[in-house]
Amino acid sequence: MRKQPELRLPKKAIQVWRIQNLFDTLFFALVPVIYFFVQAYIFERFFTWITWVLAGLVVLYGVTRVLIWPTIQWYRFRYEVFDDEIDIQQGVLIVRRTLVPMVRVQHVDTEQGPILRRYKMAAVSITTAATTHQIPTLNTEDADALRDQIASLASVHEDE
């Protein structure tokens, strides 16, 4: 059996994922608010307890996604780049292990959203004919070095 990949993401990834998951939770918090206003101002019958159940579910979801999930996600994510393949292990409940052969790599790039840019981090996307694989949060310098290393090993030319 093949050993696990050795490289982990930087610890700052946990904080980045917490912020990203907080925005998801705020989006879901709109559900009980919308339900409250629709039931209170449009329909005559209003079940207050449904609003509180929905709010409780949002709080439970938020605590899990913001406080617990990112740490487990960071612990489970590993990657390693070899001369002939990229080994990526990810997943919390279902652990997925992906081997990307270098001969299949068509395109590799780095990307930053506003949260990643704030923490001076970037994601590396590796595109094959079938799908795109991602190493989600690396320090910017490490992401650039990894992108160049994969491009060199796969003989991919960098896009402008």
Side-chain angles (χ1 to χ4, degrees):
M1 183 167 184
R2 179 181 263 220
K3 68 176 187 152
Q4 282 189 333
E6 293 183 0
L7 300 175
R8 288 182 182 263
L9 300 175
K11 280 269 194 180
K12 287 192 304 186
I14 296 171
Q15 193 167 1
V16 168
W17 287 335
R18 282 186 173 148
I19 292 169
Q20 291 171 341
N21 292 345
L22 179 65
F23 285 115
D24 289 347
T25 302
L26 291 175
F27 178 75
F28 284 116
L30 292 175
V31 172
V33 171
I34 290 171
Y35 176 81
F36 175 79
F37 284 110
V38 166
Q39 289 297 317
Y41 295 109
I42 296 177
F43 299 107
E44 293 179 13
R45 284 191 78 181
F46 176 61
F47 298 107
T48 308
W49 63 271
I50 293 176
T51 302
W52 290 109
V53 168
L54 290 173
L57 290 174
V58 168
V59 169
L60 183 64
Y61 175 81
V63 167
T64 304
R65 289 283 293 171
V66 174
L67 298 179
I68 300 169
W69 199 264
T71 304
I72 298 170
Q73 189 177 10
W74 176 84
Y75 182 76
R76 301 294 272 184
F77 192 97
R78 293 171 182 245
Y79 72 98
E80 194 163 355
V81 177
F82 299 102
D83 289 342
D84 55 346
E85 64 190 11
I86 304 161
D87 191 358
I88 301 172
Q89 176 182 304
Q90 61 187 336
V92 175
L93 298 176
I94 298 171
V95 178
R96 183 174 35 166
R97 184 104 180 249
T98 306
L99 297 173
V100 182
M102 285 296 178
V103 295
R104 302 281 180 166
V105 173
Q106 293 182 337
H107 185 82
V108 60
D109 60 3
T110 56
E111 57 190 56
Q112 285 182 311
I115 299 171
L116 288 176
R117 193 172 320 120
R118 165 77 171 87
Y119 285 90
K120 296 182 171 80
M121 301 184 90
V124 177
S125 296
I126 305 149
T127 304
T128 64
T131 187
T132 300
H133 306 278
Q134 191 173 61
I135 300 172
T137 50
L138 291 172
N139 293 323
T140 304
E141 301 84 26
D142 296 338
D144 290 342
L146 183 63
R147 179 199 61 211
D148 294 343
Q149 179 188 5
I150 292 171
S152 174
L153 291 170
S155 300
V156 174
H157 300 288
E158 182 177 343
D159 281 349
E160 298 281 326

